C-alpha cells in the first residue's frame, strides 16, 4: 500500500487538525448560544473564517501537488469527528493520480512565472498610469505557491531540469516571450498580469508555509531574485508601435539629414556636409537623381 511522503504527512496532519479545531469552534458557538441565547461574538466568526479558509486553501494546494483526494477526505472526516492526527492511523487506498492534470497545472504556472518576470523587467509604469506594486504582489504570490507545490510534490533539481531546463533556459524562454512585442503590447500584457486575481494562490502559499512546507526556494525552480536579475539584464527595451507625430521643422530637419546636407540659417543656403562616398555614374544628370523632399503639412512639394 502506498504511504505518504514526509511532506504529505505534514499537510495531511494540518488538514486533520484544522478540522478538529473547526469542530471545537462550532461546539463552542453552540454552547454559547444555548447558554445565553445570543450568537457568538465577532471574534469567533473571524477565527472560524480564518481556519476554514486555511483548510480549504491547503486542500487545494495538496490536490495540485498530487496528494490523493482520498487521503484528504479521510483526514477531514476524522478531524470533524474530533480525532487528532496520529501517524499510526491508516489511510484509505488512494485513487490513481491524474498526472496530466498535475503536470499541466504546474507547467502553466511556470510559464506564467516566466512571462510575468519578463514583463516586470520590460515595463516600467509611471505612478500616474498604474500601481507599480501590483505586479510585484502577484508575482510573489505566484512564485511562492509554485515553489510550495513543487516542494510538496517532491520535485528534485534533476526533475526540474528535465521539465523546464536550467536557469539559463528559464531566462532565454522568458525573454523569448516578448520577442517582437511592441511597447504598447507589453504594457497591455503587464496590465493584465497586474489585474489577475492571485488571492487564492497567496492563501495557498500561506497555508503551505503554516503546514511546514517551504515556499521561498525549491530544488526544481530557480530563485525569484536570480530570475529577476538575469532576465532584467537580458530583456531589451521594447520599441513603441506608434511614433509620436513630428512637427514641420522636425520633418524638414530629418529630410535634410537624409539628403546629407547642412543648412545655413545665415545665408539660407545648403552645402554638402561631407564628401560623397560614391560618385554619380558618368552622364547622369544630378538634378534628376536627387530624391524630392517629403511633403510637409502646409507647404507645397
Amino acid at each position: 500500500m502506498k504511504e505518504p511522503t514526509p511532506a504529505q504527512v505534514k499537510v495531511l496532519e494540518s488538514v486533520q487538525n484544522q478540522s478538529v479545531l473547526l469542530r471545537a469552534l462550532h461546539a463552542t458557538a453552540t454552547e454559547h448560544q444555548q447558554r445565553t441565547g445570543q450568537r457568538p461574538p465577532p471574534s469567533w466568526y473571524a477565527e472560524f473564517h480564518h481556519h476554514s479558509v486555511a483548510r480549504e486553501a491547503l486542500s487545494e494546494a495538496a490536490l495540485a501537488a498530487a496528494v490523493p483526494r482520498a487521503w484528504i477526505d479521510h483526514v477531514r472526516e476524522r478531524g470533524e469527528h474530533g480525532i487528532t492526527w496520529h501517524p499510526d492511523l491508516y489511510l484509505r487506498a488512494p485513487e490513481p493520480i491524474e498526472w496530466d492534470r498535475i503536470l499541466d497545472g504546474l507547467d502553466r504556472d511556470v510559464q506564467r512565472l516566466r512571462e510575468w518576470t519578463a514583463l516586470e523587467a520590460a515595463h516600467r509604469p509611471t505612478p500616474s498610469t498604474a500601481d507599480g506594486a501590483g505586479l510585484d504582489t502577484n508575482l510573489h504570490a505566484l512564485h511562492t505557491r509554485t515553489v510550495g507545490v513543487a516542494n510538496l510534490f517532491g520535485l528534485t533539481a534533476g526533475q526540474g531540469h528535465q521539465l523546464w531546463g536550467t536557469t539559463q533556459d528559464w531566462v532565454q524562454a522568458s525573454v523569448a516571450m516578448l520577442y517582437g512585442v511592441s511597447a504598447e503590447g507589453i504594457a497591455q500584457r503587464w496590465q493584465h498580469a497586474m489585474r489577475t486575481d492571485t488571492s487564492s494562490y497567496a492563501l495557498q502559499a500561506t497555508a503551505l508555509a503554516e503546514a511546514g512546507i517551504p515556499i521561498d526556494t525549491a530544488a526544481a525552480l530557480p530563485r525569484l531574485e536570480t530570475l529577476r536579475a538575469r532576465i532584467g539584464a537580458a530583456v531589451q527595451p521594447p520599441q513603441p508601435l506608434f511614433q509620436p507625430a513630428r512637427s514641420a521643422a522636425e520633418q524638414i530637419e530629418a529630410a535634410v539629414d537624409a539628403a546629407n546636407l547642412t543648412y545655413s540659417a545665415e545665408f539660407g543656403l545648403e552645402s554638402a556636409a561631407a564628401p560623397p562616398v560614391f560618385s554619380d555614374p558618368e552622364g547622369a544628370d544630378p538634378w534628376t537623381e536627387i530624391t524630392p523632399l517629403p511633403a510637409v503639412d502646409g507647404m507645397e512639394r
Side-chain angles (χ1 to χ4, degrees):
M1 179 178 175
K2 181 181 177 182
E3 297 293 332
T5 66
Q8 290 175 335
V9 166
K10 291 180 180 180
V11 168
L12 293 171
E13 179 179 0
S14 182
V15 170
Q16 183 165 335
N17 290 341
Q18 287 276 17
S19 299
V20 171
L21 183 56
L22 288 169
R23 181 180 186 273
L25 285 171
H26 190 272
T28 299
T30 301
E31 186 275 334
H32 175 82
Q33 190 168 17
Q34 291 175 346
R35 178 170 49 85
T36 65
Q38 298 178 350
R39 293 184 175 182
S43 59
W44 179 92
Y45 287 98
E47 185 177 6
F48 187 89
H49 179 264
H50 169 76
H51 291 291
S52 178
V53 168
R55 183 182 67 171
E56 295 306 314
L58 186 55
S59 299
E60 288 298 319
L63 289 172
V67 178
R69 184 182 294 275
W71 290 354
I72 297 173
D73 292 343
H74 198 178
V75 297
R76 286 180 62 152
E77 291 172 13
R78 280 181 172 155
E80 289 167 355
H81 285 87
I83 303 172
T84 57
W85 173 265
H86 194 282
D88 293 336
L89 295 176
Y90 76 96
L91 291 169
R92 293 172 185 156
E95 74 277 8
I97 300 299
E98 301 175 12
W99 293 113
D100 288 344
R101 176 184 65 83
I102 300 298
L103 293 176
D104 285 350
L106 192 55
D107 185 69
R108 187 163 54 249
D109 285 340
V110 165
Q111 300 310 320
R112 280 205 300 175
L113 187 58
R114 287 173 167 174
E115 180 190 17
W116 288 7
T117 310
L119 288 172
E120 183 188 53
H123 182 63
R124 289 290 182 268
T126 61
S128 62
T129 58
D131 179 7
L135 185 54
D136 179 75
T137 299
N138 282 351
L139 186 58
H140 182 265
L142 175 62
H143 182 260
T144 52
R145 194 267 191 178
T146 305
V147 166
V149 167
N151 285 329
L152 178 54
F153 193 67
L155 290 177
T156 65
Q159 291 169 331
H161 289 168
Q162 289 179 346
L163 289 170
W164 305 296
T166 64
T167 300
Q168 182 59 28
D169 294 325
W170 276 68
V171 173
Q172 292 176 349
S174 299
V175 174
M177 288 181 167
L178 304 186
Y179 283 163
V181 182
S182 65
E184 293 84 354
I186 287 177
Q188 185 178 29
R189 286 163 65 171
W190 189 96
Q191 287 283 349
H192 181 268
M194 186 199 71
R195 293 170 179 166
T196 301
D197 183 5
T198 58
S199 58
S200 63
Y201 270 28
L203 289 170
Q204 290 179 37
T206 300
L208 286 168
E210 291 177 349
I213 306 300
I215 62 171
D216 295 326
T217 60
L221 306 174
R223 295 179 63 90
L224 183 57
E225 295 80 5
T226 302
L227 287 176
R228 278 174 157 161
R230 294 185 60 173
I231 292 173
V235 167
Q236 297 296 320
Q239 298 301 315
L241 183 62
F242 301 102
Q243 297 288 347
R246 294 187 296 181
S247 66
E250 290 174 328
Q251 294 184 55
I252 293 174
E253 182 179 357
V256 170
D257 290 342
N260 198 28
L261 299 174
T262 58
Y263 180 75
S264 172
E266 181 179 0
F267 299 105
L269 299 175
E270 293 174 341
S271 60
V277 178
F278 303 103
S279 59
D280 292 327
E282 185 177 355
D285 184 349
W287 298 109
T288 60
E289 294 296 322
I290 295 178
T291 302
L293 297 180
V296 180
D297 293 342
M299 299 181 62
E300 295 183 357
R301 295 182 179 272

